[in-house]
Amino acid sequence: MKIGDFLKSNFLSVGDNIKFLLEKLNIYDEELLRKLENLYGEPAKMSKSKANTVDPEEVIQTYGADTVRLYILFAGPVEKDFEWTQEGVTGAFRFLKRFWNFAQQNFEKIKHAPILNKEKLSSQAKELRRKTHQTLAKYERDMQNLSLNTAIASIMELFNYLQDYSPSSEEDWSVVKETFTIMLFMLYPITPHICEELWNQLGNEKSMIYCSFPQVDPEALKVEEIEIPVQINGKLRGTILIGLDSTEEEVKQKAIENPKIAPYIYGKQIKKVIYVKNKLINLVV
């Protein structure tokens, strides 16, 4: 019988006392144990008798308390057990390190960003702001339902979006500051130490615990521009950005002027326009 089949038929996992065996054979190391777990089954449940428990003090000394808190709350629903993995801990540590590095690299721009003026923002900045307040609204719902893992996932998604965003003006940096500040407050119940330190670095003397939690801005959630497909004789040829509730003539003009669409209608006559409001436009040529 193969080792994997023997373990399954006897309801055993590789972690069941195998650490003791490897130590007796003088061949124990963590990497070997993980290889055996990958080859022959899932890791065992934590148990003192199996010598596979994790000392939280050691992990905190290595990665910090915020990393441990983030990992535990992100690992799965609060009502379910989860398998402790080193990869999960290092993943949480990497996220916090990226978050910290982003703050340090953009510290001066964020700290000295102008006061938010909604009228002067670029379309990209407005989209970042919409994404931020959508995430904040979802975060509030998830926290009320004790869905901490999905709340954290939405923060991570927002941070990835923020990292890819490139402000086009000084005014746009005000949205970066707003997004970053809201992220600090959302992360604060989960990773209070790093958030409090960054909050202090931004020049705030009063502790975050005494500050009001940010509120969702309904105006920020409104969609001003949408992307719709452009068809030529029923075939998809590209997409265009249009203002919400644009007229047929406005959408038609944008489609004609689009450099990806223009070659398909060059020298041809548009006989009919089929426009489904905010959905698609089809030019029959």
Side-chain angles (χ1 to χ4, degrees):
M1 181 183 291
K2 293 182 178 179
I3 294 176
D5 295 333
F6 173 80
L7 294 172
K8 288 180 181 178
S9 63
N10 288 277
F11 304 102
L12 297 171
S13 65
V14 172
D16 288 311
N17 295 325
I18 195 168
K19 181 177 180 181
F20 297 127
L21 174 62
L22 296 178
E23 285 175 346
K24 289 293 184 182
L25 296 172
N26 293 320
I27 58 172
Y28 173 78
D29 66 65
E30 291 290 337
E31 186 177 351
L32 174 60
L33 182 59
R34 278 198 289 273
K35 285 182 179 178
L36 291 172
E37 287 171 349
N38 291 332
L39 283 171
Y40 299 120
E42 296 296 321
K45 300 290 184 182
M46 281 191 189
S47 170
K48 288 183 179 180
S49 65
K50 297 168 186 174
N52 64 350
T53 56
V54 175
D55 184 352
E57 287 295 330
E58 292 181 5
V59 183
I60 290 171
Q61 286 295 326
T62 305
Y63 297 101
D66 280 349
T67 295
V68 178
R69 291 166 63 99
L70 179 66
Y71 169 57
I72 292 173
L73 296 176
F74 182 57
V78 292
E79 69 274 11
K80 293 185 179 180
D81 296 335
F82 71 93
E83 299 289 353
W84 182 282
T85 65
Q86 183 62 30
E87 290 77 9
V89 176
T90 54
F93 180 74
R94 282 196 300 270
F95 169 76
L96 291 178
K97 188 174 182 180
R98 283 197 300 128
F99 187 67
W100 175 271
N101 288 341
F102 175 85
Q104 302 309 311
Q105 291 164 8
N106 299 284
F107 178 76
E108 290 301 319
K109 287 284 190 179
I110 293 174
K111 185 175 181 180
H112 301 293
I115 297 173
L116 180 65
N117 186 335
K118 301 175 187 178
E119 304 301 322
K120 293 185 177 181
L121 300 179
S122 66
S123 58
Q124 292 85 359
K126 290 178 180 178
E127 182 60 28
L128 171 61
R129 195 160 188 268
R130 186 167 70 89
K131 176 74 173 174
T132 299
H133 285 267
Q134 282 179 335
T135 303
L136 179 57
K138 181 180 183 301
Y139 171 89
E140 290 178 349
R141 294 193 300 270
D142 288 343
M143 295 297 277
Q144 287 173 2
N145 297 327
L146 293 181
S147 300
L148 278 68
N149 58 319
T150 56
I152 294 170
S154 63
I155 296 172
M156 292 178 172
E157 183 182 344
L158 175 61
F159 179 61
N160 290 336
Y161 192 94
L162 178 61
Q163 280 193 305
D164 293 336
Y165 171 72
S166 298
S168 58
S169 66
E170 285 298 315
E171 285 76 16
D172 285 1
W173 275 100
S174 64
V175 181
V176 175
K177 183 175 183 177
E178 180 190 35
T179 298
F180 184 75
T181 301
I182 288 175
M183 286 189 65
L184 282 180
F185 275 96
M186 290 192 293
L187 279 170
Y188 185 70
I190 302 156
T191 57
H193 306 94
I194 186 174
C195 292
E196 193 71 67
E197 176 63 25
L198 291 173
W199 177 254
N200 184 262
Q201 286 186 19
L202 287 174
N204 300 289
E205 296 181 0
K206 186 164 66 172
S207 172
M208 291 183 71
I209 199 170
Y210 299 113
C211 298
S212 299
F213 197 82
Q215 300 296 308
V216 176
D217 183 358
E219 288 294 319
L221 299 177
K222 292 181 179 178
V223 178
E224 295 184 357
E225 286 189 323
I226 54 174
E227 187 176 53
I228 66 167
V230 179
Q231 296 178 346
I232 307 296
N233 292 346
K235 291 185 178 180
L236 179 65
R237 296 304 186 184
T239 60
I240 56 173
L241 272 177
I242 65 167
L244 191 67
D245 297 329
S246 295
T247 65
E248 180 180 302
E249 188 58 35
E250 289 172 335
V251 176
K252 173 187 171 183
Q253 196 61 35
K254 276 211 167 187
I256 293 173
E257 294 172 353
N258 187 285
K260 292 185 178 180
I261 307 300
Y264 294 102
I265 57 177
Y266 180 73
K268 298 176 183 178
Q269 180 184 359
I270 299 175
K271 293 186 175 182
K272 187 178 181 181
V273 177
I274 302 170
Y275 175 52
V276 182
K277 192 173 183 178
N278 298 328
K279 296 291 183 181
L280 68 85
I281 186 169
N282 180 26
L283 305 179
V284 181
V285 299

